[in-house]
Amino acid sequence: MADAAPKAFVCGHPISHSRSPLIHRYWLAELGLDGGYDPIDVAPHDFADFFSHMIRRGWIGGNVTIPHKEHAFRLAARRDAAAEAIGAVNTLWLENGEVVGGNTDAYGFAANLDAGAPGWSSAETAIVLGAGGAARAIVFALQAAGIADIRIVNRTRERAAALAQLFVSGVGANSWSELPGLLPSCHLLVNTTSLGMTGQPPLEVDITPLPVGAVVTDIVYAPLETGLLAAAHSRGLVAVDGLGMLLHQAVPGFERWFGRRPQVTAGLRAHIVADLESGR
Ligand code: NAP
């Protein structure tokens, strides 16, 4: 009975670029589940209305993306600990008739490194390039993993300082010009800026000073191998691309809505890579 099948959404503005429908529909088909997952373009001034009518319109929850993550945070009846720390909600589900919000970006980031760079969390010092919304989730993930010294390096130093201050201790802020001096003691380098993404300026960082054994990861996944990751590969460092973060962050939401925990497999990855390479 199609009408009774659970259905979830991803809402944002714009939304046509989102790969989330491809991911969730892949899992629904793979697991043979009766359910739906639809992209919905919701303009900022319509989001509160969309949110308040979500249950009545038959949705069991969904993902929230730019520019609605902070608005969803404010509207949710309750939030999980990650969302509270990150100040943004990317996943909604129902509990006792109320809409609850969570944030799975930190989980996705950590799960991607668990898969691509086992042992990554033994790093003593990590550098996070960028101080935007994604950086906040990643600093939270790094602290949760036990990394004691985290440096946020950002073009706008004040923004890095404001982000660092949200954490009680262990997080510092630096300007871009200080980066070369920080790299020799960095065990994990994370790019969270939009630099290096298709259509954006390149990320110009000389990673020569990084120590042998350092892990480099880029949350930009278009292109899959960014200039930063190419440089890490050519130095023989462990390099982890950002697509896995996107795939892993989808797991907890799918499990909440459809009752089965899906796997991030090579098949799923190939499915999304094919879409990325189609250039849509
Ligand atoms: P955001 O809030 O807009 O932050 C952008 C960051 O990039 C800021 O730190 C900004 O520095 C920096 N930046 C932008 N242009 C720059 C330039 N020309 N020179 C130096 N720094 C520059 O964006 P976000 O939401 O954090 O997302 C950042 C990137 O992560 C995007 O490419 C997004 O697609 C990607 N992402 C990937 C995943 C995943 O699952 N793999 C998840 C979330 C986001 P200022 O503060 O100085 O402006």
Side-chain angles (χ1 to χ4, degrees):
M1 210 166 63
D3 283 353
K7 57 179 186 139
F9 59 80
V10 56
C11 70
H13 185 70
I15 201 61
S16 59
H17 66 286
S18 174
R19 265 83 190 187
S20 291
L22 283 176
I23 298 170
H24 290 283
R25 289 171 182 171
Y26 180 95
W27 282 331
L28 285 168
E30 184 183 48
L31 295 169
L33 298 176
D34 196 10
Y37 186 96
D38 295 320
I40 308 179
D41 195 320
V42 179
H45 62 274
D46 291 330
F47 184 74
D49 179 70
F50 173 80
F51 191 100
S52 64
H53 294 105
M54 201 182 108
I55 300 176
R56 196 161 50 74
R57 290 179 185 154
W59 300 105
I60 55 163
N63 287 121
V64 180
T65 188
I66 292 169
H68 304 312
K69 290 182 180 187
E70 286 80 16
H71 200 171
F73 177 91
R74 295 194 297 275
L75 293 175
R78 285 185 307 286
R79 295 162 287 265
D80 71 9
E84 291 287 359
I86 295 165
V89 154
N90 74 345
T91 306
L92 297 170
W93 65 91
L94 306 183
E95 276 180 24
N96 304 320
E98 289 183 315
V99 182
V100 180
N103 193 306
T104 64
D105 281 337
Y107 165 80
F109 174 77
N112 186 36
L113 285 183
D114 287 344
W120 65 275
S121 58
S122 62
E124 287 166 25
T125 302
I127 293 178
V128 176
L129 303 176
R136 185 165 171 181
I138 282 161
V139 173
F140 171 72
L142 296 174
Q143 272 216 327
I147 297 179
D149 182 21
I150 301 164
R151 316 296 315 182
I152 303 168
V153 175
N154 197 43
R155 171 179 63 178
T156 312
R157 194 189 174 287
E158 298 72 32
R159 211 171 166 204
L163 177 53
Q165 275 179 2
L166 297 175
F167 297 85
V168 177
S169 63
V171 185
N174 295 87
S175 59
W176 210 260
S177 60
E178 294 171 290
L179 182 58
L182 297 171
L183 288 174
S185 55
C186 169
H187 307 107
L188 173 63
L189 177 64
V190 187
N191 176 44
T192 77
T193 73
S194 44
L195 296 174
M197 192 164 102
T198 306
Q200 297 292 314
L203 172 63
E204 287 167 353
V205 172
D206 178 7
I207 62 164
T208 309
L210 280 176
V212 172
V215 173
V216 178
T217 186
D218 199 330
I219 71 164
V220 168
Y221 57 83
L224 213 44
E225 186 178 73
T226 60
L228 177 68
L229 296 180
H233 276 133
S234 66
R235 264 213 56 198
L237 302 176
V238 178
V240 182
D241 69 53
L243 179 57
M245 176 178 168
L246 180 74
L247 303 180
H248 283 282
Q249 65 78 30
V251 169
F254 187 96
E255 185 177 21
R256 286 193 184 276
W257 308 316
F258 303 115
R260 296 273 300 277
R261 191 165 182 88
Q263 298 297 311
V264 173
T265 59
L268 172 66
R269 192 179 155 88
H271 185 59
I272 306 304
V273 168
D275 184 68
L276 289 170
E277 288 175 348
S278 75
R280 78 169 168 104

